[in-house]
């Protein structure tokens, strides 16, 4: 049974280990602002979703990741749907996310969740392939 909840201070060490690219300062900031959801099974974290807000207002899913052994069993969908519902309750009318252009599998998953591709940007010096952006209207 998967439960999706906002991450708390008690989850920070786990997130610092598992979401290592974000760095502890950003992780602590996201936890404090409620910008992390974690999926728990029997008290263990099995996946997380981290977001921020484009222009300070459009919810932007920066990262969703499920522990390898727990993939393809509905955890990612449960996390995403909980996030969508929370954002709708806040009055959001659009969701955003992005992914590297050669990551076809996560992109299939984004499409499955109702996202449509809306363009790509090159990030010379940061990333060797373009970043593709997706939006989903929820309003
Ligand atoms: C992409 C990811 C978040 C999906 O979460 P998940 O819990 O594995 O996916 P779910 O079980 O909720 O998926 C539900 C459906 O999507 C399908 N699906 C799952 N992963 C898929 C994938 N990579 N590509 C295409 N379809 C996929 C499943 O078949 C399932 O459909 P079904 O129930 O009809 O069989 C997860 O696989 C993951 O952490 N991947 C690595 C990190 C990543 O790529 N993150 C996204 C970019 S930031």
């Amino acid at each position: 049974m998967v439960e999706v909840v906002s991450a708390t201070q008690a989850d920070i060490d786990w997130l610092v280990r598992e979401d290592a690219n974000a760095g502890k300062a950003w992780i602590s900031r996201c936890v404090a602002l409620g910008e992390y959801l974690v999926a728990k099974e029997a008290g263990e974290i099995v996946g997380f979703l981290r977001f921020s807000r484009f222009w300070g207002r459009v919810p932007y899913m920066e990262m969703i990741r499920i522990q390898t052994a727990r993939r393809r069993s509905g955890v990612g969908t449960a996390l995403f749907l909980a996030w969508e519902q929370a954002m709708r309750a806040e009055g959001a009318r659009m969701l955003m996310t992005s992914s590297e252009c050669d990551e076809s599998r996560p992109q299939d998953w984004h499409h499955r969740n109702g996202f449509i591709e809306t363009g790509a940007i090159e990030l010379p010096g940061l990333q060797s392939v373009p970043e593709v952006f997706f939006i989903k209207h929820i309003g």
Side-chain angles (χ1 to χ4, degrees), residues 124-139:
L126 277 183
Q127 192 167 282
S128 59
V129 296
E131 183 82 359
V132 182
F133 284 78
F134 298 83
I135 56 169
K136 178 176 182 179
H137 292 282
I138 59 169

Side-chain angles (χ1 to χ4, degrees), residues 81-96:
L81 291 178
W83 179 61
E84 178 176 321
Q85 195 176 357
M87 295 303 99
R88 191 178 272 123
E90 277 186 7
R93 303 187 56 197
M94 185 189 284
L95 303 177
M96 289 177 63

Side-chain angles (χ1 to χ4, degrees), residues 63-66 71-77 105-106 109 112:
M63 178 62 82
I64 180 165
R65 196 163 70 231
I66 310 308
R71 287 184 193 161
R72 306 203 80 144
S73 60
V75 178
T77 303
R105 282 157 42 111
W109 192 77
R112 191 182 185 282

Side-chain angles (χ1 to χ4, degrees), residues 1 28 44 58-59 63 70 75 84-85 108-109 118:
M1 176 70 188
S28 300
E44 297 276 309
V58 183
M63 178 62 82
R70 299 296 296 113
V75 178
E84 178 176 321
Q85 195 176 357
D108 289 346
W109 192 77
T118 192

